[in-house]
Amino acid sequence: IGPKGDIGPTGPQGLVGTAILDSYASLYEDNGNSYMLTANTPNQVELSKNSQVKNMDISFTNTVKVQNTGIYKIDYFFSSVASAQSNISIELRKENVTINGTKITRKVNNQEYVWFNGSIIVSLNKGEKVDLAVSSTTNVTLTPDEDTVSYLSIMQIG
């Protein structure tokens, strides 16, 4: 093996990329407040705490306001105990309108624990507000446990 030569010049710099996740928010609740539902009337789910937020407006109560138009993956969860037999539903809303494909309904008995877990990929525009709502076919009180009782996790994927 012969002697080595000098190190050559550094090659051209590549383009600067964009962050993989440019916008996201994670809201949750763990207070265990009861929901007194009136039949067929959606009630906003409490999401007063947040763990991570980037390029999202969470200054609205229990709501995320999108700051960047794009494609988003949204995961959501709600759990509680029902005071009577009923059909309980959970749904994601955009500007107070159900997002297609997000409504989940379960039949529950008196004092039965019920939980909902959903996920969807949806297009959202800058300025649109997203929240989570719970409803029932009858008047019923839902009483969550004292741990994480609801969450909404939203992240821009495209």
Side-chain angles (χ1 to χ4, degrees):
I1 296 177
K4 290 184 176 182
D6 294 336
I7 294 174
T10 301
Q13 184 69 33
L15 298 174
V16 175
T18 57
I20 293 172
L21 291 177
D22 200 39
S23 299
Y24 51 81
S26 181
L27 306 180
Y28 68 97
E29 190 58 67
D30 59 5
N31 69 18
N33 287 341
S34 291
Y35 295 80
M36 288 171 221
L37 301 182
T38 301
N40 304 311
T41 305
N43 191 321
Q44 189 179 57
V45 171
E46 289 185 32
L47 298 162
S48 70
K49 298 181 173 72
N50 70 81
S51 58
Q52 295 292 319
V53 178
K54 180 180 178 187
N55 292 329
M56 292 282 201
D57 182 352
I58 59 167
S59 63
F60 301 85
T61 305
N62 309 318
T63 303
V64 175
K65 182 178 178 184
V66 174
Q67 293 184 325
N68 296 323
T69 296
I71 306 298
Y72 287 82
K73 181 175 189 286
I74 307 174
D75 299 304
Y76 53 102
F77 172 81
F78 178 79
S79 66
S80 68
V81 174
S83 67
Q85 183 174 333
S86 186
N87 291 316
I88 311 290
S89 298
I90 194 84
E91 63 195 337
L92 276 174
R93 300 186 301 186
K94 175 171 67 174
E95 298 297 319
N96 291 318
V97 176
T98 304
I99 297 174
N100 289 339
T102 67
K103 188 169 184 177
I104 303 168
T105 303
R106 291 207 186 351
K107 182 177 181 177
V108 295
N109 294 313
N110 181 27
Q111 298 306 311
E112 185 176 8
Y113 176 79
V114 62
W115 64 273
F116 302 86
N117 194 28
S119 183
I120 194 154
I121 295 174
V122 64
S123 178
L124 298 172
N125 296 313
K126 179 178 180 171
E128 288 182 321
K129 294 189 205 93
V130 176
D131 70 354
L132 193 55
V134 63
S135 60
S136 172
T137 54
T138 59
N139 292 350
V140 67
T141 299
L142 299 179
T143 306
D145 289 333
E146 292 293 333
D147 53 6
T148 300
V149 298
S150 59
Y151 67 73
L152 188 156
S153 176
I154 177 170
M155 62 194 99
Q156 187 174 6
I157 60 171

